[in-house]
């Protein structure tokens, strides 16, 4: 089989020029841009550039006592406790809404790019079944990844606390911390690959063959 790296790039570039510039249509740009924004809604990553200059002044004893201190404070301030719980619930509901819209948006964007269209309402309704299937996958996958991340944080917190208050030789501390770092690396790589496969392979297969997310994964894994 003759495999070319340049041919798909040049054909894709020509397709992009034809779709967006021949002729230039601002309305089409805005519609396709809107669906692209929906498709990448929950894939946007922000970075926090906070300073760590205060690390040297941290009191590790206060840090390790923070969960108990925070719990006691919440118990003594029931109004704030209620407001915080309500805020968390609202954030979760808003996040679920974003996932639902994003799941539909992926198919809207694929529809417009594959068919050189600039539709919004038609693909929103046409790919309702596929979008809802993707939503359920992303919803449960998100909860699983969040739960695993919290469990990792708790494990690391308890382990570091034990190392801090215990009397361990240096090599034990080193290997313990190295193991925790390795777990986080494996976690991030696994989540990254699953997300990559889902967005770049499974979703296009769902779109092309009109499959649910399980069918899309089966199709992808058989090809993979």
């Amino acid at each position: 089989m003759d495999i070319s790296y340049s041919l798909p790039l040049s054909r894709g570039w020509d397709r992009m020029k034809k779709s967006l510039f021949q002729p230039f249509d601002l309305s089409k740009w805005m519609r396709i841009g809107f669906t692209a924004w929906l498709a990448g809604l929950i894939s946007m990553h922000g970075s926090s550039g906070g300073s760590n200059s205060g690390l040297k002044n941290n009191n590790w004893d206060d840090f390790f006592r923070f969960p108990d201190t925070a719990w006691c404070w919440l118990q003594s301030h029931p109004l704030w406790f209620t407001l915080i719980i309500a805020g968390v619930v609202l954030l979760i509901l808003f996040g679920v809404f974003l996932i639902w819209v994003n799941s539909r948006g992926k198919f809207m964007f694929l529809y417009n790019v594959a068919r050189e269209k600039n539709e919004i309402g038609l693909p929103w309704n046409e790919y309702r079944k596929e979008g809802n299937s993707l939503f359920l996958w992303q919803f449960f996958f998100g909860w699983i990844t969040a739960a695993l991340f919290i469990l990792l944080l708790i494990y690391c917190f308890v382990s570091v606390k034990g190392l801090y208050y215990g009397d361990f030789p240096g090599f034990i501390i080193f290997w313990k911390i190295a193991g925790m770092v390795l777990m986080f690396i494996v976690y991030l790589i696994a989540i990254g690959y699953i997300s990559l496969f889902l967005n770049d392979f499974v979703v296009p297969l769902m779109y092309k063959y009109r499959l649910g997310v399980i069918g899309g994964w089966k199709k992808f894994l058989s090809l993979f």
Side-chain angles (χ1 to χ4, degrees):
M1 182 170 58
D2 185 20
I3 298 176
S4 170
Y5 294 97
S6 60
L7 181 60
L9 288 174
S10 61
R11 290 178 62 185
W13 182 263
D14 293 338
R15 175 72 175 275
M16 180 274 296
K17 290 193 299 182
K18 179 182 177 182
S19 298
L20 298 180
F21 298 103
Q22 298 173 353
F24 176 81
D25 185 347
L26 182 60
S27 174
K28 184 177 182 180
W29 271 64
M30 294 180 66
R31 287 171 174 266
I32 294 178
F34 177 69
T35 59
W37 176 72
L38 290 180
L41 196 58
I42 62 173
S43 302
M44 300 176 182
H45 300 286
S47 61
S48 58
S51 172
N52 61 356
S53 59
L55 286 177
K56 295 181 179 179
N57 298 323
N58 281 345
N59 188 318
W60 287 103
D61 291 314
D62 290 339
F63 173 75
F64 290 122
R65 285 197 297 265
F66 175 75
D68 295 330
T69 303
W71 179 246
C72 292
W73 185 88
L74 289 172
Q75 286 182 316
S76 60
H77 297 79
L79 178 59
W80 279 105
F81 194 6
T82 304
L83 290 175
I84 290 172
I85 294 298
V88 171
V89 171
L90 288 175
L91 284 176
I92 291 175
L93 292 176
F94 183 65
V96 171
F97 173 75
L98 290 182
I99 294 172
W100 176 65
V101 173
N102 168 259
S103 299
R104 292 282 193 93
K106 290 183 185 298
F107 293 99
M108 295 164 67
F109 181 59
L110 275 173
Y111 174 88
N112 284 324
V113 171
R115 303 193 183 191
E116 295 191 47
K117 301 288 187 179
N118 57 349
E119 302 284 349
I120 293 179
L122 192 152
W124 172 270
N125 294 314
E126 177 71 18
Y127 293 91
R128 177 188 289 112
K129 181 180 178 181
E130 292 80 3
N132 290 339
S133 177
L134 179 62
F135 161 70
L136 290 175
W137 167 274
Q138 293 197 113
F139 176 78
F140 287 109
F141 180 67
W143 276 109
I144 292 171
T145 55
L148 288 176
F149 182 74
I150 292 172
L151 289 175
L152 277 175
L153 285 181
I154 294 174
Y155 171 77
C156 292
F157 180 85
V158 173
S159 299
V160 172
K161 183 179 180 180
L163 292 174
Y164 179 75
Y165 287 111
D167 184 16
F168 298 95
F171 73 94
I172 294 293
I173 296 175
F174 170 80
W175 285 114
K176 192 74 173 179
I177 293 176
M180 289 185 281
V181 172
L182 181 61
M183 283 193 298
F184 267 105
I185 292 175
V186 171
Y187 168 84
L188 293 175
I189 290 176
I191 299 302
Y193 266 108
I194 292 173
S195 300
L196 172 71
F197 292 154
L198 177 70
N199 293 317
D200 292 351
F201 296 96
V202 175
V203 171
L205 288 170
M206 292 172 63
Y207 168 81
K208 181 175 182 179
Y209 295 103
R210 305 303 300 266
L211 299 170
V213 70
I214 301 300
W217 273 107
K218 289 180 180 179
K219 188 78 173 176
F220 163 71
L221 291 175
S222 66
L223 294 171
F224 186 73

